[in-house]
């Protein structure tokens, strides 16, 4: 039908074209810039549709892998149909881009590319709605889904496939109610389903952890072990019942369940071994009773020798066993005492090591402080040496100034040989001053004050020389 519509449209287009050719010039003009831009845009739109279809196909595959269709079957089917429509319209212009803008029908103005895009939009809308329903179902039916996951983890779907399938169908019905807007009805029906799931979980846990023990206990009962070891067999049966009761109360306490399952198997094996021993004992003649007792004592003696205990065969068998047990307890106490002493010693060593580390740190700190003080003393000594050198330089400088200021001493005055002793005896005060001045010049220190005094002494010497000349 669609092909016939296209033929009619083509015939109409040809008619219009021929009519136009009669009135249009024979020479066609070159495509305008606007036509080129439109063609470029059309190519981009076609490529975008192709990419969107590929992405939608990947999304649909991923949705089915994640079981989205299990939660919202109808919506996922509608999404599939919308994607198929988009692919169908895209195929119209995939090989011939000029048909992208052709209408999808004679009386429909929507183009092929628009129809493809609409199909893609519908696809994404349906997928989004389906994901929303899945979220709502997982939240509303959280307990049921949690139990479902636990059943899968412990292998209930493999061990009891029929029962598991029935419960899964019930859960599916509740999910459909949520999808159809009947949330309250789904919530009301959930507790019943949860109870059934829990029953299957308990049944599966017992099967997983206690099936071997139950099978072996059944074999022992069929072998009439109760005739040889009734008490131990009863204990094994009681251990099995206790384990089943615990699983019924705590089906997810895996570690404790394994512990109880091991205890059950131990009790069953014990009952089996006791029955075997009783059978042998009953089959032995009375003359072999002594040999049986001696073999038992031999075993106890070997244990005593290995432990380093005394030989207690002079006691009853029960007493021999008690003595061995007591020796082990005493040995354990001594060993514990040794271990405690070792631990105390280790703690003391650790404490001493910590104290030693602390002392080493304190020594390092004192050495650091001592090094700082030594450096400080060295710095002070250097400063004192510099000051002494500067003082020595100052002394030499002052002495040089004094030497530059004091003139050379005059030659001593020669007195005639004919001078009388009276004139020698009558030494003038000027000569006395001159004699006093000369030692002063020789003994004065190199300082500014001595420089001033030396200047005064120089003046006095000149005056004294003048007076001597006048006397002469």
């Amino acid at each position: 039908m669609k092909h016939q519509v296209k033929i009619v449209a083509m015939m109409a287009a040809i008619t219009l074209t021929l009519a136009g050719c009669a009135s249009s010039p024979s020479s066609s003009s070159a495509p305008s810039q606007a036509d080129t831009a439109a063609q470029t845009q059309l190519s981009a739109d076609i490529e975008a549709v192709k990419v969107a279809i590929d992405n939608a196909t990947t999304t649909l595959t991923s949705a089915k892998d994640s079981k989205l269709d299990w939660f919202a079957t109808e919506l996922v089917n509608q999404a599939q149909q919308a994607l198929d429509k988009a692919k169908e319209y895209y195929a119209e212009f995939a090989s011939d881009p000029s048909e992208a803008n052709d209408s999808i029908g004679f009386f429909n103005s929507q183009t092929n590319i628009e129809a493809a895009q609409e199909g893609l939009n519908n696809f994404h809308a349906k997928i989004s709605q389906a994901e929303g329903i899945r979220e709502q179902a997982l939240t509303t039916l959280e307990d049921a889904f949690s139990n479902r996951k636990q059943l899968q983890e412990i292998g209930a779907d493999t061990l009891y496939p029929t029962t598991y399938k029935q419960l899964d169908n019930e859960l599916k019905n509740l999910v459909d109610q949520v999808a159809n807007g009947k949330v309250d009805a789904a919530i009301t029906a959930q507790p019943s389903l949860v109870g059934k799931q829990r029953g299957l979980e308990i049944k599966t846990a017992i099967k997983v952890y206690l099936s071997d023990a139950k099978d072996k206990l059944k074999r022992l009962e069929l072998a009439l072990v109760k005739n040889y070891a009734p008490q131990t067999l009863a204990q094994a049966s009681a251990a099995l019942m206790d384990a089943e009761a615990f699983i019924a109360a705590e089906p997810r306490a895996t570690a404790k369940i394994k512990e109880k399952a091991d205890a059950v198997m131990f009790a069953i094996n014990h009952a089996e071994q006791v029955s075997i021993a009783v059978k042998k004992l009953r089959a032995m003649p009375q003359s072999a009773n002594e040999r049986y007792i001696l073999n038992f004592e031999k075993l106890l003696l070997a244990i005593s020798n290995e432990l380093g205990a005394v030989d207690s065969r002079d006691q009853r068998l029960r007493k021999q066993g008690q003595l061995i047990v007591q020796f082990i307890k005493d040995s354990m106490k001594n060993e514990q005492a040794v271990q405690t002493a070792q631990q105390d010693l280790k703690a003391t060593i650790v404490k001493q090591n910590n104290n030693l580390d602390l002392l080493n740190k304190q020594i390092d700190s004192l050495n650091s402080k001592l090094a700082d003080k030594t450096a400080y003393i060295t710095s002070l000594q250097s400063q004192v040496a510099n000051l002494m050198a500067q003082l020595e330089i100052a002394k030499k400088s002052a002495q040089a100034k004094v030497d530059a200021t004091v003139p050379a001493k005059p030659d001593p005055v020669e007195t005639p040989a004919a001078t009388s002793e009276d004139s020698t005896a009558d030494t003038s005060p000027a000569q006395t001053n001159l004699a006093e001045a000369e030692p002063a010049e020789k003994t004065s220190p190199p300082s500014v004050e001595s420089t001033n005094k030396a200047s005064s002494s120089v003046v006095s010497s000149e005056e004294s020389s003048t007076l001597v000349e006048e006397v002469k």
Side-chain angles (χ1 to χ4, degrees):
M1 179 64 183
K2 184 177 179 181
H3 183 67
Q4 294 176 353
V5 172
K6 290 186 64 177
I7 293 176
V8 173
M10 290 176 62
M11 292 177 63
I14 292 172
T15 302
L16 293 174
T17 302
L18 292 175
C21 290
S23 60
S24 61
S26 58
S27 61
S28 60
S29 60
S32 64
Q33 186 175 2
D35 293 338
T36 302
Q39 187 64 32
T40 302
Q41 182 62 42
L42 178 61
S43 299
D45 292 341
I46 293 173
E47 181 63 22
V49 171
K50 178 181 181 302
V51 173
I53 289 176
D54 292 340
N55 292 338
T57 302
T58 302
T59 300
L60 183 61
T61 302
S62 177
K64 290 183 177 180
D65 291 341
S66 63
K67 306 300 181 182
L68 182 62
D69 53 338
W70 189 86
F71 288 89
T73 306
E74 184 177 355
L75 286 173
V76 173
N77 289 336
Q78 292 175 359
Q80 177 73 68
Q81 294 172 3
L83 180 58
D84 292 341
K85 283 290 184 182
K87 290 180 178 180
E88 181 181 348
Y89 287 119
Y90 172 73
E92 294 292 332
F93 56 86
S95 58
D96 186 3
S98 63
E99 295 187 8
N101 290 322
D102 289 351
S103 61
I104 62 175
F106 191 74
F107 298 103
N108 195 330
S109 62
Q110 189 178 32
T111 64
N112 288 324
I113 192 170
E114 289 174 347
Q117 292 171 342
E118 182 180 12
L120 290 170
N121 292 335
N122 290 336
F123 167 80
H124 289 295
K126 297 301 180 182
I127 291 295
S128 179
Q129 292 176 17
E131 290 175 345
I133 288 177
R134 178 169 60 182
E135 279 300 317
Q136 186 179 17
L138 290 174
T139 303
T140 304
L141 306 173
E142 182 179 1
D143 293 339
F145 277 106
S146 176
N147 289 341
R148 180 179 185 240
K149 181 179 179 182
Q150 179 65 17
L151 290 174
Q152 292 174 347
E153 290 180 352
I154 63 177
D157 53 342
T158 302
L159 295 174
Y160 303 102
T162 302
T163 305
Y164 177 83
K165 184 64 176 177
Q166 292 174 353
L167 297 180
D168 214 39
N169 289 336
E170 290 187 24
L171 179 59
K172 172 61 175 167
N173 292 333
L174 298 184
V175 171
D176 290 341
Q177 289 180 349
V178 173
N180 295 328
K182 300 178 181 179
V183 179
D184 292 339
I187 294 175
T188 302
Q190 181 177 209
S192 176
L193 174 59
V194 169
K196 296 177 182 179
Q197 289 175 327
R198 184 175 179 85
L200 180 58
E201 181 180 353
I202 293 171
K203 184 178 179 180
T204 304
I206 291 175
K207 178 72 173 178
V208 170
Y209 297 106
L210 299 178
S211 59
D212 294 340
K214 293 178 71 174
D215 291 343
K216 187 166 185 178
L217 181 61
K218 187 175 183 179
R219 290 197 302 270
L220 294 181
E221 290 174 348
L222 293 175
L224 301 179
V225 171
K226 63 180 180 180
N227 294 335
Y228 303 97
Q231 293 183 1
T232 52
L233 186 62
Q235 291 175 355
S237 299
L240 177 61
M241 294 177 61
D242 178 70
E244 288 179 340
F246 181 81
I247 291 176
E250 299 289 341
R252 299 185 185 181
T254 305
K256 190 66 175 179
I257 290 174
K258 290 181 178 179
E259 181 181 340
K260 287 187 171 294
D262 293 339
V264 171
M265 185 57 74
F266 179 87
I268 292 174
N269 291 334
H270 180 220
E272 182 181 23
Q273 295 302 321
V274 170
S275 67
I276 294 173
V278 171
K279 285 181 181 180
K280 289 183 179 180
L281 187 60
R282 289 183 179 180
M284 292 172 57
Q286 291 184 355
S287 59
N289 290 341
E290 181 182 4
R291 181 168 53 85
Y292 180 81
I293 298 299
L294 292 176
N295 288 335
F296 194 74
E297 281 189 342
K298 184 178 179 180
L299 178 62
L300 294 177
L301 178 61
I303 296 174
S304 299
N305 291 336
E306 287 294 327
L307 294 174
V310 297
D311 185 358
S312 58
R313 286 179 295 171
D314 58 339
Q315 304 291 329
R316 290 176 299 172
L317 287 177
R318 184 176 182 181
K319 184 64 174 179
Q320 292 179 34
Q322 291 176 349
L323 291 174
I324 292 174
V325 172
Q326 187 61 42
F327 181 83
I328 293 173
K329 289 182 178 180
D330 295 339
S331 299
M332 291 180 64
K333 288 181 180 179
N334 295 333
E335 184 177 356
Q336 290 177 354
V338 172
Q339 291 179 353
T340 302
Q342 290 177 347
Q343 292 176 356
D344 293 341
L345 179 60
K346 289 180 179 179
T348 302
I349 292 174
V350 171
K351 185 177 180 180
Q352 290 179 351
N353 288 335
N354 293 335
N355 293 335
L356 183 60
D357 292 338
L358 181 60
L359 289 175
N360 288 331
K361 291 180 180 179
Q362 293 177 351
I363 290 172
D364 292 338
S365 177
L366 292 174
N367 288 334
S368 177
K369 292 179 180 179
L370 181 60
D372 293 339
K373 290 184 177 180
T374 302
Y376 179 68
I377 292 172
T378 304
S379 176
L380 289 178
Q381 290 176 346
S382 177
Q383 294 178 12
V384 170
N386 291 334
L387 290 175
M388 293 296 293
Q390 293 176 6
L391 181 59
E392 186 66 26
I393 292 172
K395 287 181 179 181
K396 292 180 179 179
S397 176
Q399 184 64 42
K401 289 181 180 180
V402 172
D403 294 341
T405 305
V406 178
K409 296 181 181 180
D411 295 333
V413 180
E414 297 181 358
T415 54
T419 305
S420 62
E421 293 180 1
D422 293 336
S423 61
T424 303
D426 295 334
T427 304
S428 65
Q431 291 176 337
T432 304
N433 293 335
L434 181 62
E436 294 175 353
E438 289 178 355
E441 292 175 359
K442 294 179 180 180
T443 58
S444 60
S447 62
V448 177
E449 183 180 357
S450 62
T451 303
N452 295 331
K453 291 180 179 180
S455 300
S456 303
S457 300
V458 172
V459 176
S460 300
S461 299
E462 291 177 352
E463 291 177 350
S464 300
S465 300
T466 306
L467 293 174
V468 169
E469 291 292 330
E470 289 178 353
V471 170
K472 288 180 178 181

